[in-house]
Amino acid sequence: HKITAAAIAKEVGIIDENDTDEMAVDGSTIDGMTDEELEDYVEKVSVYARVTPEHKIRIVRAWQNKGKIVAMTGDGVNDAPALKQADVGVAMGQTGSEVAKVLTDDNFATIVKAVSHGRNIYGNIRKAIQFLLSGNTAGIIVVLLASLAGLPLPFAPVHLLFINLLTDSLPAIALGLEPHSNSV
């Protein structure tokens, strides 16, 4: 029931009691809306109760149509379509069906940790790529200019490979394995 859902959401901090927007709705409210109306409405709602799989997909699409990246959590067969539609589908595993089993501890804190680690990995990959591109730009420019000027190549391919092996591999690995940072 939407009153129970709103009370739980207040208890865990999803809903602020001072919020003036409508905080919780049920599926019957969504039934009476067109997709365009729902798209305008989703920003006003924090909690949905008693929604069908079709409602879930419509909610996910409404957020995506607003240009947002959408994460969806679910634990059963009825959540599978919305999990697939979402940009990030997070399936709960301990109590969920076989269709939606990824997380094994059914703890939302695990989702937060997973997103944090994913951001850290993405940041480390970006740092390693920036290092490799900036470090190899000089070699690319020298070879390109020599080729355009009709001069003999300044490096044999084996020389470039050896230089990359010595100067790029260990620093790039170190950047890739950098510990977690809250700045990412």
Side-chain angles (χ1 to χ4, degrees), residues 119-133:
R119 287 181 177 166
N120 190 55
I121 290 167
Y122 176 74
N124 287 349
I125 290 170
R126 286 188 62 184
K127 289 176 195 172
I129 289 172
Q130 286 174 344
F131 168 76
L132 291 170
L133 287 176

Side-chain angles (χ1 to χ4, degrees), residues 22-78:
E22 189 166 355
M23 297 179 254
V25 297
D26 58 17
S28 62
T29 306
I30 297 171
D31 280 333
M33 294 183 186
T34 66
D35 288 341
E36 292 78 21
E37 291 171 332
L38 180 61
E39 194 173 312
D40 293 334
Y41 189 67
V42 290
E43 289 184 333
K44 300 174 186 169
V45 180
S46 299
V47 176
Y48 297 91
R50 297 190 180 195
V51 291
T52 65
E54 292 81 19
H55 294 142
K56 294 173 187 179
I57 290 175
R58 287 185 65 207
I59 293 165
V60 169
R61 284 187 183 145
W63 279 109
Q64 289 174 328
N65 289 340
K66 294 182 92 47
K68 304 294 183 179
I69 296 175
V70 180
M72 165 73 186
T73 61
D75 66 352
V77 173
N78 62 339

Side-chain angles (χ1 to χ4, degrees), residues 98-131:
E98 292 299 319
V99 170
K101 281 199 175 180
V102 174
L103 294 180
T104 57
D105 63 359
D106 284 353
N107 186 345
F108 280 103
T110 304
I111 298 169
V112 174
K113 287 180 188 174
V115 169
S116 176
H117 286 296
R119 287 181 177 166
N120 190 55
I121 290 167
Y122 176 74
N124 287 349
I125 290 170
R126 286 188 62 184
K127 289 176 195 172
I129 289 172
Q130 286 174 344
F131 168 76

